[in-house]
Amino acid sequence: GNACFATTATNNGTVSGGPPTVCSASIPAVTTSSTTLAVNPTTSVLFGEVEATGGTSVTERGFEYGLTDSYGSSKSSSGTFNAETFNAVVGSLTCDTTYHFRAFATNSEGTDYGDDETFTSDACAGNSSTLYGVDGSGSNGDDPNLYTLDPASGDILTTIGPTGYYITGLAFHPTSEILYGVTGGADPTHSKSLLTINKTSAVSTWLGTIKDSGNTARVMPDISFRSNGGLYGLSNDGKLYTIDVTSCNGTSDTNCLATVVGNPGISGSGNGLAFNSVDELFFFGDEDETYYQLNPDTGLEITNPNFLNPSGELPAINAATFNDNDVLFASRMNIGDSPSDLIIIDTDTDTIISTSDGDNPDMLYMDAIAFYLPPPTPPTITTTPASPHPQTTATPNGTITDT
């Protein structure tokens, strides 16, 4: 702990004690959480807590990890930190492998380490999901492109090519595996529209303008498919809609019919919408301290929890999507105090987990993201030929021999 004391000089040179007003600094106190979050077979989230700063700001915090308690790898953040919980996303793990890890924190007096804990990375998977993104709002002044992204960092892995449209939402159909996109109100040629996008070439095909039953065009900032193939969007009029993808085919006079599900009464401007594998629907607003779980049958609010965001920035979320582990990802734009990064949202604890240390330039204009979840690999069936039955032959003396 800190040594706190006060000194007062007297006329005869003696020193008298006083109330504790001066404290000497000490190293911080840090603990390692045994809780981890498996993102995919090669990526996990680690958690720790700085319980006390030691009387001066913590300037670095993070984790050591490795196959033994000698560790060998580390992931940390630098800055000015208070006593609070923290986390880090670690990637490039070997699937189905046990790792040791411990938290650490450093201030001007030194470094403290938490206890050693272990976790096992997720089981190896035959087909892993791929994260796609589009810097599609037109805010960057360049042609919007389709990318593949690293879920562990948000970094661009491949640039597939230009889409030709200002896309604000992406979603893969759960059975046809077709990638759909929507444009916002800023697209210069086809605003408020539904598209299909070739995930290998980025070539986009306009299907029609999204219009409700009153023939009013609706902006859908983000879209998501339910497991039954129903496409949902929450428009800027605050209502939840289904969009009939079979109602439009790209002819000049076709519209994509949007039908009102219900009115949760929340803004739909510049945000994320995502179904998980059990058809729970989540909505994320722009610079909002809370998020929503909505009933997809009525459109009404089920819950409205507050984010627990240790860094304190407002989560300016522009898109959301679940991976094949039902881990929720979102793109966060650089608005106000919010960094531009790829985040994981733990809906069990309402915690925002950044995949990068501060701003990630690759995520600066990433206005739409979606995971492609490949169909499971069918099991390999092997057949073993039946053993031939032995032949028997009778001999003249009555004995039987095998042949």
Side-chain angles (χ1 to χ4, degrees):
N2 297 344
C4 298
F5 55 92
T7 57
T8 303
T10 63
N11 290 333
N12 61 8
T14 61
V15 177
S16 63
T21 57
V22 178
C23 297
S24 62
S26 63
I27 65 172
V30 65
T31 58
T32 309
S33 173
S34 60
T35 300
T36 60
L37 174 64
V39 176
N40 58 40
T42 60
T43 307
S44 291
V45 183
L46 311 180
F47 299 90
E49 182 177 3
V50 175
E51 294 184 327
T53 63
T56 184
S57 295
V58 170
T59 55
E60 184 182 12
R61 63 189 187 188
F63 299 89
E64 295 181 325
Y65 63 97
L67 298 177
T68 70
D69 57 9
S70 297
Y71 309 110
S73 298
S74 65
K75 179 74 176 288
S76 65
S77 298
S78 299
T80 302
F81 306 110
N82 299 316
E84 60 187 0
T85 59
F86 63 96
N87 52 66
V89 180
V90 293
S92 301
L93 305 175
T94 302
C95 60
D96 200 17
T97 301
T98 298
Y99 285 84
H100 290 257
F101 71 104
R102 65 177 179 180
F104 69 88
T106 301
N107 65 10
S108 58
E109 300 300 307
T111 300
D112 186 43
Y113 297 90
D115 292 337
D116 177 77
E117 299 284 352
T118 61
F119 73 95
T120 300
S121 56
D122 218 18
C124 303
N127 291 326
S128 59
S129 56
T130 302
L131 181 59
Y132 288 81
V134 175
D135 53 353
S137 66
S139 304
N140 56 354
D142 298 322
D143 291 333
N145 283 294
L146 180 68
Y147 306 93
T148 62
L149 306 173
D150 184 354
S153 64
D155 293 345
I156 293 172
L157 297 177
T158 60
T159 300
I160 298 172
T163 63
Y165 294 91
Y166 291 170
I167 295 171
T168 64
L170 291 173
F172 280 94
H173 192 282
T175 55
S176 71
E177 302 174 28
I178 295 172
L179 178 58
Y180 286 82
V182 287
T183 61
D187 191 274
T189 58
H190 290 95
S191 64
K192 307 175 186 178
S193 294
L194 184 67
L195 318 165
T196 58
I197 306 157
N198 186 309
K199 70 178 186 296
T200 60
S201 66
V203 172
S204 303
T205 303
W206 179 80
L207 297 180
T209 303
I210 302 171
K211 292 189 176 183
D212 62 20
S213 57
N215 208 36
T216 299
R218 293 296 179 188
V219 173
M220 304 289 176
D222 201 8
I223 52 175
S224 186
F225 277 102
R226 199 173 182 173
S227 62
N228 64 6
L231 181 60
Y232 284 69
L234 197 143
S235 183
N236 56 357
D237 66 351
K239 297 176 183 178
L240 183 69
Y241 289 84
T242 58
I243 305 166
D244 184 358
V245 299
T246 66
S247 64
C248 45
N249 56 16
T251 59
S252 59
D253 60 349
T254 188
N255 295 320
C256 303
L257 178 62
T259 302
V260 175
V261 176
N263 186 0
I266 51 182
S267 169
S269 177
N271 13 70
L273 188 72
F275 277 105
N276 63 13
S277 66
V278 294
D279 286 338
E280 294 175 328
L281 179 61
F282 296 89
F283 171 78
F284 304 89
D286 184 10
E287 291 190 274
D288 198 343
E289 295 179 353
T290 67
Y291 68 98
Y292 299 85
Q293 183 182 346
L294 303 178
N295 185 323
D297 296 316
T298 65
L300 301 181
E301 172 190 321
I302 297 175
T303 59
N304 180 212
N306 284 281
F307 282 116
L308 174 64
N309 191 9
S311 299
E313 309 98 346
L314 285 175
I317 292 171
N318 263 9
T321 183
F322 282 91
N323 74 354
D324 49 348
N325 263 13
D326 263 351
V327 176
L328 179 59
F329 286 76
S331 62
R332 187 164 58 170
M333 304 289 277
N334 189 354
I335 301 174
D337 292 331
S338 175
S340 57
D341 56 357
L342 181 69
I343 61 174
I344 296 167
I345 299 172
D346 185 351
T347 55
D348 290 332
T349 62
D350 307 320
T351 301
I352 290 176
I353 302 162
S354 178
T355 62
S356 59
D357 184 13
D359 283 326
N360 182 345
D362 285 355
M363 293 297 298
L364 183 57
Y365 300 108
M366 206 63 66
D367 204 17
I369 58 174
F371 274 101
Y372 170 61
L373 311 179
T377 302
T380 302
I381 300 175
T382 58
T383 58
T384 302
S387 300
H389 294 290
Q391 303 294 316
T392 60
T393 305
T395 62
N397 62 6
T399 61
I400 297 175
T401 60
D402 292 335
T403 59

